[in-house]
Amino acid sequence: VPRVKAGTTRRARHKAVLATTKGHRAARSSRYRVAKESMLHALDYATRHRKLKKRQNRALAITRINAAAREHGLSYSSLINGLKKAEITLDRKSLADLSIRQPSAFAKVVASAKAEL
Amino acid sequence: MASKLSHSIGTHTRLWYLIDARHQVVGRLASMVALLLQGKNKPIYHPSVDTGDHVVVINTGHAVLTGSKWDKKLYRHHTGYPGGLKEIVAKQLHQKNPTMILRRAINGMLPKNLQRKHRMRRLHLYPDSAHSHALNITHQLPGPCPVFKTLSDYSSEEITSFPDIVTRISHL
């Protein structure tokens, strides 16, 4: 194979990696060899945590619904049971949001669930 | 979704709870107090924000351990030196400092993160009924265990007017 110089391609590849590591600490945003590892970790974390975020938000919503339901004398499990029987299909995100921002509406939801228990 | 209309001045304040530990089982009380210190009883709970409240527990010297735990439950720590495992029975620890048993129980029930120290600072334990937070207390909560009345809590009229069950049964 005839000799091929890198030419301008190397600089372009390195610039592409460094563009993804903007804001990383110290040499991880300026030196290619360190930045490449930092980029690989960052992409890995991003992929993993896109899935993790959904789990964590659901867990937080459940904790909040549990707290709000206990203010009305019910546990989270009893509330969900009552909502299923009353065929109320509000998801946990909406229930948690209601419990914080519209507590009077949440009280009515709890009352409907209690009626079915 | 970002409406704060239902929030009042009281939504984000730190409340002060007063709990009487007399006749309360240590573990069950500690579990309840740990939840209050974390703020997990509030719908606005978030793990990154410390939504916990202050808890004042009085009469910790009169808390209850069931079974033979006063004689058998061991509190251990290691001093770091070889052969430095120190063990102390619950009874002796209670005599040394009547708030330690409840403090260790609650400390162990909080999540082991950087917030634990701050949450423990909001815990105020007193061995007797004297405490210095009377101006701050917002709510008094009952403990998790039901407190039964002793004979001395009944008035003499109630005792004499109580239906005579024993002699009636012995007739049968």
Side-chain angles (χ1 to χ4, degrees), chain B residues 16-82:
Chain B
W16 282 71
Y17 292 107
L18 178 67
I19 304 177
D20 193 345
R22 188 180 287 272
H23 302 314
Q24 299 298 319
V25 179
V26 163
R28 291 175 194 273
L29 178 62
S31 170
M32 173 189 159
V33 170
L35 282 176
L36 292 172
L37 287 175
Q38 291 173 70
K40 280 197 132 177
N41 55 323
K42 301 181 178 177
I44 54 165
Y45 169 79
H46 198 283
S48 67
V49 176
D50 204 344
T51 50
D53 298 316
H54 292 262
V55 179
V56 179
V57 187
I58 55 174
N59 287 321
T60 58
H62 302 278
V64 164
L65 278 177
T66 58
S68 42
K69 286 180 205 157
W70 286 115
D71 297 316
K72 293 204 177 151
K73 186 170 172 65
L74 284 174
Y75 289 90
R76 299 185 172 98
H77 66 278
H78 202 283
T79 57
Y81 289 93

Side-chain angles (χ1 to χ4, degrees), chain A residues 60 64 67 97 100-101 103, chain B residues 1 3 6-7 40-41 43 45:
Chain A
L60 178 63
R64 288 178 160 172
D97 189 70
I100 296 176
R101 297 198 171 87
Chain B
M1 269 280 234
S3 162
S6 66
H7 288 196
K40 280 197 132 177
N41 55 323
Y45 169 79

Side-chain angles (χ1 to χ4, degrees), chain A residues 2 8-10 21 29 42 45 56 62-63 75 81 98 111 116:
Chain A
T8 54
T9 52
R10 187 185 299 131
T21 60
S29 55
Y45 294 152
Q56 286 175 342
I62 290 176
T63 305
S75 68
N81 186 21
L98 281 181
E116 301 292 330

Side-chain angles (χ1 to χ4, degrees), chain A residues 66-76 78 110 114 117:
Chain A
N66 206 345
R70 280 168 204 269
E71 282 179 358
H72 293 273
L74 268 184
S75 68
Y76 165 82
S78 310
V110 171
K114 272 190 189 173
L117 285 174

